[in-house]
Amino acid sequence: MPHRHRRPGTATASSARLLGALACALALPAQAQSSGVSVEDLARRLQAIEQRLGTAPADAGTAAVDPADLDQRLRVIERKLELQAEAESARVASTPVVTLSAAKGLSVKSAPPGDLEIKFRGLIQADGRFFIDDQRAPQNDTFLFRRVEPTIEGTWGSLFAFRLGAQLAGDSATVNDAYVDVRFSPRATVRVGRYKVPLGLERLQSSSAGAMVEGGFASELAPVRDLGVQLQGEFADGALSYAVGAFNGAPDGRDGATTNPDNEFELIGRVFVEPWKNSGTALSGLGFGVGASQGDKRGTGNNFLPRYRTPGQAQFFNYRSTVVADGEHTRWSPQAYYYRNRLGLLGEYIRSRQELLLPASGARAALDHEAWQLTAGWVLTGEDASYKGVVKPSQPFTPGGAGWGAFELVARYGRLDIDDDAFPRYADPAAVASEANSWGLGLNWYLTSNFKLVANYTQTDFEGGAPAGADREDEKAFFTRAQFSF
């Protein structure tokens, strides 16, 4: 049940009305008599009020009625009500404010100035995956929880902010985000902990904001979350933002390990510019920038080397088990988006270069893999599209009513290309593909700003990846999603 608070002026307004009535009644006994009400009647009414307020004198009701005495008793009531109003104002000023709204979820804010605040948020995604014509490489059709993410975030004074989020989907619970921000100014904030690293444009979107059910190929080359420290900030009212940090190091398309097993670190930075932000012109929704990373990785396994996946989350590329990362790993990613009214466009390119070693033979190589994607969206019902992914229906869905929510049509095309020098020494051409191209269409139905239903169809074709030099079977996948977030 929502917590209710009395507004600060309520007690004062009630007191004023009571005092006004008493003043009119007791100011002049002659007026009372002319209205047909005796002074004795007014004295009895005053006594009843005094008893309610606990100010009745010991001889009330027994002493003779004296207008001067009535005036004094009225002044006592006035002071009593003033003290009550002051106490009520002090109570309200020291009481935390609890709010619950569809837009902001549940929050608890300290009394004014309100610089302590805790917000409780949540995300649930229930998906369906269904594969068509998968005779040669059958995939499992399934329903699953893609994400179950409870989150606590807030501020602790004007200097500190924090976020703690868990991932409950899957076989075991894990930590998504756990960080503290030290906010020296909007231009300089230090973030420490585990969080999304500042590189991929689509990866930096909220998990609830993606245009399609799964991310595109460029996101397969971008790291996700990692442990580290970064400096971030913005200038010109957000028209220029930057972030640069040092991290343990994460492989392409994955989270970093909870420790730093190879004793190496990775530097990651990003600059993003929106020159016409808030200008009201046709270019106000245009933003572009570049992200890059540089570091060393040394070792085997998924902590160091990538395993690239299709939109259907099927693995289509990995290195031979004898290959180890042994040297510099760099990435760079030019990126841009444009959101204007109902139109949304997002595009990015990522190139990832990793030095490798075959310990048995001593063979070495530095391989470049690259990917790009372009995503477009059009809100059919006319609401504004947004990089934050929240389409707010002008008429939320109402059963039996006129509102049907908002509908958005989305499309995406992308490609991931493996360095030709990976084959056959570092990767098996009969088992993994050297190139993948994918296109997809989707319809997003925003019943409210908190609940949406999604349907996607994607088709991916491959170069290589099957025995005897044949191409891997095309992936044709249909996805559904029911998403609730607050």
Side-chain angles (χ1 to χ4, degrees), residues 326-480:
D326 191 67
E328 187 177 53
H329 184 199
T330 60
R331 308 180 189 91
W332 74 282
S333 174
Q335 52 198 239
Y337 63 57
Y338 179 68
Y339 290 91
R340 174 68 175 174
N341 300 329
R342 63 176 68 189
L343 173 66
L345 296 172
L346 182 149
E348 61 181 319
Y349 168 90
I350 297 184
R351 186 171 187 140
S352 176
R353 178 183 178 87
Q354 173 70 62
E355 294 182 352
L356 304 174
L357 172 67
L358 274 172
S361 65
R364 304 186 66 89
L367 301 183
D368 288 288
H369 308 320
E370 59 183 11
W372 62 269
Q373 65 194 37
L374 178 63
T375 303
W378 184 260
V379 183
L380 301 173
T381 45
E383 290 86 352
D384 289 341
S386 168
Y387 172 71
K388 295 182 178 180
V390 179
V391 175
K392 298 181 179 180
S394 57
Q395 292 185 323
F397 176 75
T398 305
W404 279 94
F407 291 87
E408 180 185 29
L409 184 66
V410 295
R412 182 177 66 205
Y413 187 85
R415 173 180 296 177
L416 196 158
D417 187 33
I418 304 299
D419 194 322
D420 291 340
D421 290 341
F423 305 97
R425 176 172 287 178
Y426 302 97
D428 184 358
V432 299
S434 62
E435 183 179 299
N437 299 273
S438 181
W439 63 269
L441 294 173
L443 179 66
N444 300 326
W445 180 16
Y446 300 85
L447 284 78
T448 69
S449 59
N450 301 100
F451 186 79
K452 74 173 180 178
L453 298 174
V454 180
N456 287 178
Y457 174 80
T458 66
Q459 185 165 321
T460 307
D461 63 80
F462 306 90
E463 184 176 309
D471 294 335
R472 179 188 177 111
E473 181 180 55
D474 290 354
E475 178 186 87
K476 302 174 183 178
F478 180 74
F479 304 91
T480 62

Side-chain angles (χ1 to χ4, degrees), residues 204-376:
L204 285 171
Q205 283 185 304
S206 168
S207 300
S208 63
M212 307 284 285
V213 167
E214 297 293 345
F217 278 142
S219 292
E220 282 298 296
L221 271 64
V224 189
R225 292 177 172 88
D226 203 0
L227 278 160
V229 55
Q230 78 177 28
L231 177 66
Q232 63 188 43
E234 59 183 38
F235 296 85
D237 295 326
L240 170 64
S241 61
Y242 76 94
V244 59
F247 302 87
N248 283 342
D252 294 349
R254 299 292 183 273
D255 292 334
T258 55
T259 60
N260 189 15
D262 65 345
N263 200 33
E264 301 285 357
F265 294 96
E266 188 169 52
L267 299 177
I268 302 179
R270 178 176 181 263
V271 175
F272 201 79
V273 182
E274 297 173 85
W276 299 277
K277 185 175 183 179
N278 302 321
S279 67
T281 67
L283 295 177
S284 61
L286 176 64
F288 51 88
V290 62
S293 70
Q294 191 278 331
D296 287 348
K297 291 185 174 65
R298 304 182 190 279
T300 61
N302 202 35
N303 288 337
F304 305 98
L305 294 177
R307 300 174 182 178
Y308 299 136
R309 298 173 298 182
T310 67
Q313 301 304 287
Q315 183 176 303
F316 76 92
F317 175 83
N318 61 275
Y319 290 103
R320 294 182 185 272
S321 60
T322 54
V323 178
V324 301
D326 191 67
E328 187 177 53
H329 184 199
T330 60
R331 308 180 189 91
W332 74 282
S333 174
Q335 52 198 239
Y337 63 57
Y338 179 68
Y339 290 91
R340 174 68 175 174
N341 300 329
R342 63 176 68 189
L343 173 66
L345 296 172
L346 182 149
E348 61 181 319
Y349 168 90
I350 297 184
R351 186 171 187 140
S352 176
R353 178 183 178 87
Q354 173 70 62
E355 294 182 352
L356 304 174
L357 172 67
L358 274 172
S361 65
R364 304 186 66 89
L367 301 183
D368 288 288
H369 308 320
E370 59 183 11
W372 62 269
Q373 65 194 37
L374 178 63
T375 303

